Amino acid sequence: MRLSNLADYAVVLMSAAARQCGSVPIHAGMLAEQTGIPGPTAQKLVSQLARAGLLVASRGSGGGVRLARPAAAISVADIIEAVEGPIALTSCVAEGRHDCSLEGSCKVQPHWGVVNGAVRGALAEISLASLSVAPAKAGAAVGLHSGDGVNPPAAPAFAGATR
């Protein structure tokens, strides 16, 4: 399973917006510049994220976009769904879809809802606020040092958000 580039870029763009304190309007062009996302793509994402209620746009000389609610109240699942629609790992989990050739005889189909719910739930637990700060080093809570030859360096909390 892999996120689309647009979903990945949306998370990166929202993280940059959150680092601007969330309440100060910022232009899509500035977000594009800060993140390396192409300008037209950033503008498209800003429009989608505003339609989904994650960003609020204002026009005029002091205009731009800002977070619609605190970064702690926006999840990675919210952002992905704003760009890609409901998270559905298989077609049999998607509402109204019945295009699987195994439908009716598949023994796993009744379980996909649980798997899909677990993945969506995990993404819903990761807040935009947590993506807007540097990740903690592995072992820091127990006094171990990342990269000490015993413990490998910590991976970013969300690998797609590194730039």
Side-chain angles (χ1 to χ4, degrees), residues 82-136:
V83 174
E84 295 192 346
I87 295 169
L89 297 179
T90 63
S91 63
C92 59
V93 175
E95 292 269 333
R97 298 269 314 263
H98 300 286
D99 57 356
C100 178
S101 63
L102 301 177
E103 190 172 11
S105 64
C106 179
K107 303 294 184 207
V108 178
Q109 189 276 334
H111 305 284
W112 273 117
V114 173
V115 174
N116 194 79
V119 171
R120 195 209 178 279
L123 293 171
E125 290 294 318
I126 302 169
S127 74
L128 179 59
S130 71
L131 297 181
S132 302
V133 296

Side-chain angles (χ1 to χ4, degrees), residues 3-151:
L3 289 179
S4 71
N5 283 344
L6 276 180
D8 178 21
Y9 291 170
V11 173
V12 171
L13 188 134
M14 289 290 289
S15 180
R19 284 190 299 275
Q20 300 296 320
C21 299
S23 60
V24 178
I26 184 169
H27 294 280
M30 290 171 64
L31 288 169
E33 188 176 305
Q34 290 178 9
T35 61
I37 296 171
T41 303
Q43 186 59 53
K44 175 181 178 176
L45 287 170
V46 163
S47 295
Q48 284 182 300
L49 294 163
R51 271 194 308 275
L54 299 178
L55 293 175
V56 175
S58 56
R59 296 182 186 265
S61 62
V65 296
R66 60 180 173 76
L67 297 180
R69 55 187 190 261
I74 298 172
S75 72
V76 171
D78 295 332
I79 299 167
I80 292 169
E81 289 179 333
V83 174
E84 295 192 346
I87 295 169
L89 297 179
T90 63
S91 63
C92 59
V93 175
E95 292 269 333
R97 298 269 314 263
H98 300 286
D99 57 356
C100 178
S101 63
L102 301 177
E103 190 172 11
S105 64
C106 179
K107 303 294 184 207
V108 178
Q109 189 276 334
H111 305 284
W112 273 117
V114 173
V115 174
N116 194 79
V119 171
R120 195 209 178 279
L123 293 171
E125 290 294 318
I126 302 169
S127 74
L128 179 59
S130 71
L131 297 181
S132 302
V133 296
K137 292 186 178 187
V142 292
L144 300 175
H145 298 288
S146 179
D148 60 6
V150 177
N151 298 302

